[in-house]
Amino acid sequence: MLILLRQGRIGKWFSGIGQEAIAVGSALAMNIDEYILPMHRNLGVFTTRDIPLSRLMAQWQGKASGFTKGRDRSFHFGTQEYKIIGMISHLGPQLALADGIALADVLSKRKNATLVFTGEGATSEGDFHEALNIAAVWNLPVIFLIENNGYGLSTPINEQYKCKNLVDKAIGYGMEGRQIDGNNLLEVYHTISELAADMRNNPHPVLLECMTFRMRGHEEASGTKYVPQHLFDEWSKKDPVANFEQFLLDERVLRPEWLPRLKNEFTALIESELEKAFNEPDIIPNLESEVQDMYKLSNFPTFQPSNITATKRYIDAISDGLRQGMRKYTNLVIMGQDIAEYGGAFKITQGFVEGFGRDRVRNTPICESGIIGAAMGLALNGYKAIVEMQFADFVSCGFTQIANNLAKTHYRWAQSVDVVIRMPAGAGTGAGPFHSQSNEAWFTKTPGLKVVYPAFPADAKGLLMAAIDDPNPVIYFEHKYLYRSISGDVPEGDYYVELGEAKIIQEGKTASIITYGLGVHWAIEYTAKHPDFSIEIIDLRSLQPWDKEAVEGSAKKTGRVLILQEDTLTSGFGGEIAAHLAEHCFKYLDAPIMRCASLDTAIPMNKALEDQFLAKARLEETMERLLNY
Ligand SMILES: Cc1ncc(C[n+]2csc(CCOP(=O)(O)OP(=O)(O)O)c2C)c(N)n1
Ligand SMILES: [Mg+2]
């Protein structure tokens, strides 16, 4: 790899020279059907699992027979075929995925262990803490393997952590910890074999610190000037490959005269596999598949809506949808803070533990990132997951997992991530800056996510069931103010509303109000106050994908459009609709497209201030301007 790099024939390369025993020894010790989640230096995991070298080379060269169709580099891919789940660049988020994978094994009573790697540098990330804590609290059979190679890029360990040994942290999590010589292949192999065998029968996590050294730069371009020479001198004596070779010679497993032949065979194999990849044609960009592969294709379920309906509050319709989903999919797991016996902050899952058991209705520690990561792990290992945010505001703590892991996985390596994030959002309850946000725009601009925002009980149920059914990550907004303030007829049994379909709430001729969530109710209130105006109200219901056809149709019909959103004005979703209409419906418009949104401030707690903040305060005035233009 170093030669190829110098020849400019491959891109970035993170060398594992000096650390080979860890990747190879641990991969040999794990059963072939057990998941391994390696990091950027762990070539040995991939070769030990017998992935053809030509495919690895093709991956690094961005060729079609690699694992990501040229979309991601180096080891940033997963493969179910080889039970390897590769990292995203952010390092730490990888760890919680192992929790979810292990949980799926435990729930389906498979006696498997899961192995996840981290560098010592990434143990400073909060994700490390969250993942270990979850695994400990839930007794998950995960080996958290720290490759302590002395440096995180240029940062030596004394600038990375203060404790004497990283393995000492195991005590704090209430789990077993071991520290071993990571340069001794046999020690790695035997330790992992023993730990895995133990946890297969008696699920529990272990923290394993493997002491080693990085003999090259972080990646080749960054050099090693910051590493004192004496460290290289000392550690080169402990080279794991040379020492293992000597061991085999001493034990007479190998004969010296075999060595040249063995090495020549490997060299020839590597060269021929490399040529295969180089001879493969370059990828020809295909616009359609690039866009399409962001999501897994999903089919809207065929179903017969029941004629029997019941009047339900918005909140009860959500519970109904959840319950229905739990009945339909026995592999569906709900996770969230206080959702089990306590029933959740808003009591949406009250009674669920009695109905579905604690395995599937899981209280979690307070760790949004770790739990969303665990949800992804469940999805990788055959489950479906719903994560309840206690408040939508707290989703910022899980942002990397959503925007970088959930959202990008299908595009990167064609793995769907079947996770719904429930988001109790919105203002109107005097809850202040951190319990009131309508933060849909954080997600609508991230390709790979679907985003829905129901305004009525029936849609709340139908969109939730459709979100659960959909194999892609769906961010499901539910408005707290609507929970107990509105009721409506909701069909019993299975009920789905197609993602991406808007609804005309009322027809009109003079102007259109395009809105969603609580905005729909403001619009209805406005038109009720002005029965003499002929206003059309469109409830978007879904924001990603959104119903361009319905919105364009309404704009063409009325020629005047007001976009009403509860979110703050700047860069809100309404801006996207306005831009789209300006581009596609300009000639039909009789007035500028107007936006009515909340103030560009944080959300205040005091009722009078909150009322002033909310878009509703400016609805009359904005409509007047639109109608009089
Ligand atoms: C969240 C995040 N911050 C910073 C980086 C940049 N970065 C990539 S690898 C790395 C060092 C990682 O050190 P360590 O975890 O010890 O792994 P090693 O490279 O030594 O194997 C850094 C800082 C990143 N990829 N992600
Ligand atoms: Mg390191």
Side-chain angles (χ1 to χ4, degrees):
M1 297 311 293
L2 298 183
I3 292 167
L4 289 173
L5 199 70
R6 276 198 292 275
Q7 292 172 341
R9 299 178 87 191
I10 54 161
K12 221 177 172 90
W13 181 249
F14 299 91
S15 161
I17 293 177
Q19 306 177 212
E20 297 94 334
I22 300 171
V24 173
S26 63
L28 280 172
M30 297 298 286
N31 289 340
I32 203 73
D33 60 344
E34 289 174 324
Y35 282 96
I36 304 182
L37 298 89
M39 296 302 286
H40 46 290
R41 292 185 203 289
N42 301 133
L43 170 63
V45 169
F46 298 81
T47 51
T48 304
R49 287 243 153 141
D50 283 335
I51 298 183
L53 285 182
S54 59
R55 278 200 82 184
L56 288 177
M57 303 281 183
Q59 164 64 21
W60 302 326
Q61 291 169 23
K63 296 282 179 71
S65 72
F67 291 87
T68 62
K69 299 188 185 169
R71 291 170 185 168
D72 205 345
R73 66 187 190 188
S74 59
F75 292 123
H76 294 195
F77 66 90
T79 148
Q80 292 285 6
E81 193 183 345
Y82 297 97
K83 290 276 183 280
I84 293 175
I85 306 298
M87 62 191 288
I88 60 167
S89 293
H90 301 63
L91 313 167
Q94 179 81 333
L95 293 155
L97 270 49
D99 288 345
I101 289 172
L103 176 60
D105 284 334
V106 170
L107 293 180
S108 33
K109 307 207 167 12
R110 280 188 297 263
K111 295 190 168 197
N112 283 348
T114 296
L115 169 66
V116 61
F117 285 73
T118 177
E120 88 294 337
T123 66
S124 302
E125 292 187 55
D127 285 304
F128 174 80
H129 165 71
E130 293 192 14
L132 269 69
N133 187 54
I134 293 166
V137 173
W138 289 357
N139 293 318
L140 299 174
V142 180
I143 300 172
F144 294 98
L145 188 159
I146 304 171
E147 272 187 295
N148 192 338
N149 63 3
Y151 284 84
L153 213 160
S154 76
T155 306
I157 55 174
N158 65 332
E159 290 182 46
Q160 194 70 250
Y161 56 87
K162 189 73 176 171
C163 54
K164 188 151 172 272
N165 297 296
L166 279 174
V167 72
D168 296 340
K169 298 196 176 193
I171 297 169
Y173 295 109
M175 66 171 74
E176 183 189 347
R178 297 255 191 114
Q179 189 188 58
I180 60 169
D181 175 3
N183 281 26
N184 183 327
L185 182 70
L186 295 179
E187 192 170 332
V188 174
Y189 174 78
H190 288 304
T191 307
I192 303 262
S193 299
E194 181 203 323
L195 295 175
D198 191 23
M199 67 178 64
R200 281 177 201 126
N201 290 313
N202 167 28
H204 65 277
V206 177
L207 180 61
L208 177 66
E209 183 179 13
C210 297
M211 305 309 290
T212 184
F213 195 70
R214 198 190 69 200
M215 295 300 285
R216 307 287 307 180
H218 170 62
E219 34 94 25
E220 289 308 310
S222 59
T224 54
K225 268 200 189 123
Y226 46 88
V227 182
Q229 184 56 38
H230 74 91
L231 288 175
F232 285 122
D233 298 342
E234 285 162 27
W235 281 92
S236 66
K237 290 183 204 122
K238 298 190 229 173
D239 182 82
V241 179
N243 283 336
F244 188 61
E245 184 179 301
Q246 193 54 52
F247 168 80
L248 294 177
L249 291 169
D250 294 346
E251 294 288 314
R252 298 175 184 276
V253 176
L254 260 186
R255 293 209 188 143
E257 62 271 26
W258 296 351
L259 280 175
R261 182 169 58 82
L262 269 175
K263 288 185 179 175
N264 285 340
E265 277 172 17
F266 274 123
T267 308
L269 174 72
I270 290 168
E271 280 170 2
S272 79
E273 293 286 288
L274 181 65
E275 280 318 305
K276 266 193 219 166
F278 273 123
N279 291 336
E280 199 179 306
D282 281 331
I283 283 177
I284 299 165
N286 176 319
L287 196 58
E288 204 177 314
S289 69
E290 279 304 293
V291 175
Q292 203 173 69
D293 285 357
M294 225 34 242
Y295 296 90
K296 185 177 167 108
L297 282 179
S298 52
N299 295 319
F300 186 63
T302 42
F303 79 107
Q304 199 55 46
S306 168
N307 294 327
I308 308 164
T309 60
T311 307
K312 285 198 164 82
R313 296 178 303 177
Y314 183 92
I315 191 167
D316 300 323
I318 296 170
S319 293
D320 185 14
L322 273 182
R323 204 173 283 113
Q324 214 52 40
M326 288 292 274
R327 284 195 196 118
K328 181 169 176 192
Y329 296 103
T330 51
N331 64 340
L332 175 62
V333 174
I334 312 181
M335 302 187 285
Q337 290 148 30
D338 312 291
I339 69 159
E341 286 79 5
Y342 186 72
F346 299 100
K347 304 295 175 199
I348 285 176
T349 50
Q350 194 145 47
F352 275 52
V353 170
E354 290 78 358
F356 304 105
R358 264 185 147 258
D359 275 354
R360 295 180 61 206
V361 183
R362 306 185 72 87
N363 271 347
T364 72
I366 305 169
C367 49
E368 286 74 10
S369 179
I371 292 302
I372 296 168
M376 172 156 166
L378 279 170
L380 295 174
N381 200 5
Y383 275 72
K384 294 165 85 74
I386 298 178
V387 182
E388 172 179 309
M389 291 292 115
Q390 202 154 65
F391 285 81
D393 309 69
F394 305 147
V395 78
S396 51
C397 296
F399 203 71
T400 297
Q401 293 287 22
I402 296 179
N404 290 310
N405 233 341
L406 299 187
K408 296 179 181 32
T409 298
H410 191 265
Y411 175 75
R412 291 167 54 241
W413 54 281
Q415 168 69 46
S416 60
V417 184
D418 196 340
V419 174
V420 176
I421 313 280
R422 281 191 34 233
M423 302 274 278
T429 57
F434 305 115
H435 289 79
S436 307
Q437 291 171 87
S438 207
N439 47 9
E440 63 275 11
W442 294 359
F443 304 98
T444 50
K445 86 145 272 93
T446 302
L449 302 176
K450 296 189 176 181
V451 181
V452 299
Y453 208 145
F456 296 98
D459 288 343
K461 175 174 178 177
L463 285 170
L464 181 55
M465 286 206 69
I468 292 170
D469 199 73
D470 195 289
N472 295 287
V474 183
I475 313 294
Y476 177 92
F477 282 88
E478 47 194 65
H479 203 293
K480 302 190 299 286
Y481 183 79
L482 297 177
Y483 275 160
R484 294 176 170 82
S485 65
I486 58 161
S487 298
D489 286 346
V490 179
E492 298 282 81
D494 279 1
Y495 181 64
Y496 301 90
V497 169
E498 187 150 11
L499 306 191
E501 271 194 7
K503 188 175 178 185
I504 302 176
I505 300 296
Q506 62 182 53
E507 305 243 12
K509 293 197 196 99
T510 356
S512 306
I513 301 180
I514 316 289
T515 186
Y516 55 94
L518 186 56
V520 178
H521 299 280
W522 293 337
I524 292 170
E525 209 181 304
Y526 172 84
T527 54
K529 251 172 77 185
H530 301 279
D532 40 329
F533 301 158
S534 175
I535 309 285
E536 180 146 302
I537 301 175
I538 304 279
D539 174 6
L540 286 173
R541 303 196 290 187
S542 287
L543 305 181
Q544 182 56 264
W546 65 281
D547 197 337
K548 300 187 173 87
E549 214 181 299
V551 172
E552 284 176 27
S554 186
K556 286 175 187 171
K557 183 168 142 193
T558 65
R560 287 173 200 270
V561 177
L562 177 124
I563 300 157
L564 174 62
Q565 75 186 29
E566 181 183 337
D567 192 7
T568 52
L569 179 73
T570 303
S571 297
F573 191 69
E576 176 62 29
I577 302 170
H580 183 89
L581 289 178
E583 201 172 330
H584 299 279
C585 298
F586 184 70
K587 63 182 177 197
Y588 300 95
L589 297 175
D590 299 323
I593 301 158
M594 298 202 185
R595 285 177 298 163
C596 180
S598 296
L599 297 180
D600 278 329
T601 68
I603 306 175
M605 182 268 296
N606 170 287
K607 171 96 172 70
L609 292 177
E610 192 191 44
D611 284 347
Q612 171 181 266
F613 162 84
L614 286 171
K616 188 185 173 192
R618 286 163 294 283
L619 182 54
E620 285 279 350
E621 177 264 325
T622 322
M623 277 305 286
E624 208 175 296
R625 272 195 290 128
L626 180 73
L627 294 170
N628 294 334
Y629 184 86

